Amino acid sequence: MDISQTSQKLERYHSLKGKSIMPSLFRWKKQGMVAHVRKGIYLPSDLQDKFRIACNAVEEGCLVYHAALEYYSLQTQEFNWLYVHSSSIFRTFTYQGESYIYKPVKFLYKPLVVDKDNPYPIRVTSINQTLIDCLYNINLAGGLEELLYAISELDHTLVNEKDMLHCLELYGSKSLFQRAGFVLSHFKDDLRLSDYFFKACKEGMGKNISYLINPYYCDSFSKEWKLCIPANAMKEIQKDCYYEI
């Protein structure tokens, strides 16, 4: 039986929970048609795509942060875990050697849905939201160097500065405007970002000094963006940094 037929049976199972469907489920499992993914959730056993599993083993799952970067092939390393947004809280679970971790984002703006007609579609934050999400929580992007690599690999035709500004406004974080303005200013030409984008970032940022990452690692300072930054990690892109003496 192919995956589409199996999925139809599973859809029927999930719609008839609590009724006399359990014997059929156990039979499908015994026949190797379905696999138990986590409590109460079964998927076709031949479903191997970790991105599809992430999006369909939880309610309204969506790839976020580093998982989204990995889906877009904008990462230097593959983790054996994926960050997943869901409309319902779920406990971390492991399936086929991958761990799936609940990491909700504040909002979903224009998420990309791949293969809508597939029984198990993929949902992922847009390139533009992914950038802003990762600048908001750099640790969940895999760290600063991982994020800088991702940005350097971006195709400028996929970047929409209006969408990024909208995401910045939805976050409403002054320090995020600082981080976005500082980091993306070093990729201004490559990403074809306008002066208006950076003007908006400066209007949205506060007057207080902020930090790009953990203050312990920040030993340089950007006067323009009032941002403390790590000199070593930023050495290849720093142009407006002034070292503290």
Side-chain angles (χ1 to χ4, degrees):
M1 183 174 295
D2 63 28
I3 194 169
S4 62
Q5 292 175 307
T6 303
S7 67
Q8 290 173 1
K9 286 182 175 290
L10 284 175
E11 286 176 6
R12 181 169 177 267
Y13 159 69
H14 290 302
S15 67
L16 295 175
K17 274 186 176 180
K19 298 185 179 181
S20 57
I21 194 68
M22 293 304 292
S24 295
L25 178 64
F26 291 139
R27 183 172 66 254
W28 301 337
K29 186 177 180 181
K30 187 175 181 180
Q31 292 173 348
M33 295 165 51
V34 301
H36 182 225
V37 179
R38 66 186 186 93
K39 185 177 180 180
I41 300 298
Y42 294 81
L43 292 175
S45 56
D46 54 351
L47 183 63
Q48 302 293 316
D49 187 328
K50 64 182 181 181
F51 298 125
R52 294 189 190 278
I53 293 168
C55 295
N56 293 281
V58 301
E59 189 172 356
E60 298 179 343
C62 183
L63 304 170
V64 292
Y65 298 114
H66 190 271
L69 294 179
E70 186 176 340
Y71 177 78
Y72 290 121
S73 298
L74 295 173
Q75 90 293 340
T76 62
Q77 52 187 323
E78 291 187 13
F79 299 150
N80 61 348
W81 66 84
L82 287 88
Y83 296 130
V84 186
H85 170 92
S86 173
S87 57
S88 298
I89 298 174
F90 65 87
R91 292 183 178 180
T92 297
F93 63 95
T94 300
Y95 177 66
Q96 294 182 347
E98 299 281 346
S99 293
Y100 299 86
I101 304 172
Y102 176 65
K103 289 294 179 183
V105 290
K106 187 175 181 180
F107 56 85
L108 288 176
Y109 179 66
K110 296 182 179 180
L112 175 65
V113 181
V114 182
D115 295 337
K116 292 182 181 180
D117 296 331
N118 188 293
Y120 302 98
I122 294 174
R123 291 174 291 273
V124 57
T125 48
S126 69
I127 285 284
N128 300 289
Q129 179 176 347
T130 299
L131 281 178
I132 302 304
D133 287 340
C134 288
L135 283 165
Y136 180 73
N137 197 327
I138 293 176
N139 286 336
L140 296 183
L144 181 58
E145 291 185 13
E146 186 83 346
L147 178 56
L148 294 177
Y149 171 83
I151 297 174
S152 71
E153 290 293 303
L154 267 176
D155 180 344
H156 72 88
T157 63
L158 301 177
V159 176
N160 185 311
E161 63 180 48
K162 290 183 179 180
D163 284 351
M164 286 198 294
L165 285 174
H166 186 69
C167 290
L168 285 168
E169 291 169 359
L170 289 176
Y171 266 111
S173 168
K174 294 180 179 180
S175 62
L176 179 56
F177 274 104
Q178 289 170 277
R179 293 198 293 275
F182 171 76
V183 171
L184 294 177
S185 67
H186 293 86
F187 300 93
K188 177 181 178 180
D189 293 337
D190 291 339
L191 299 182
R192 311 292 199 272
L193 297 174
S194 70
D195 291 336
Y196 173 79
F197 176 83
F198 297 101
K199 179 182 178 182
C201 286
K202 288 183 178 179
E203 290 175 350
M205 66 185 250
K207 296 181 179 180
N208 295 332
I209 292 175
S210 188
Y211 294 84
L212 183 61
I213 58 173
N214 189 313
Y216 179 82
Y217 300 102
C218 295
D219 52 4
S220 295
F221 184 69
S222 168
K223 288 184 177 180
E224 180 180 4
W225 295 99
K226 298 179 181 178
L227 193 69
C228 295
I229 60 174
N232 290 336
M234 305 297 294
K235 63 183 179 181
E236 293 186 3
I237 66 169
Q238 60 190 11
K239 294 179 181 178
D240 61 340
C241 305
Y242 298 85
Y243 292 98
E244 297 177 346
I245 298 177

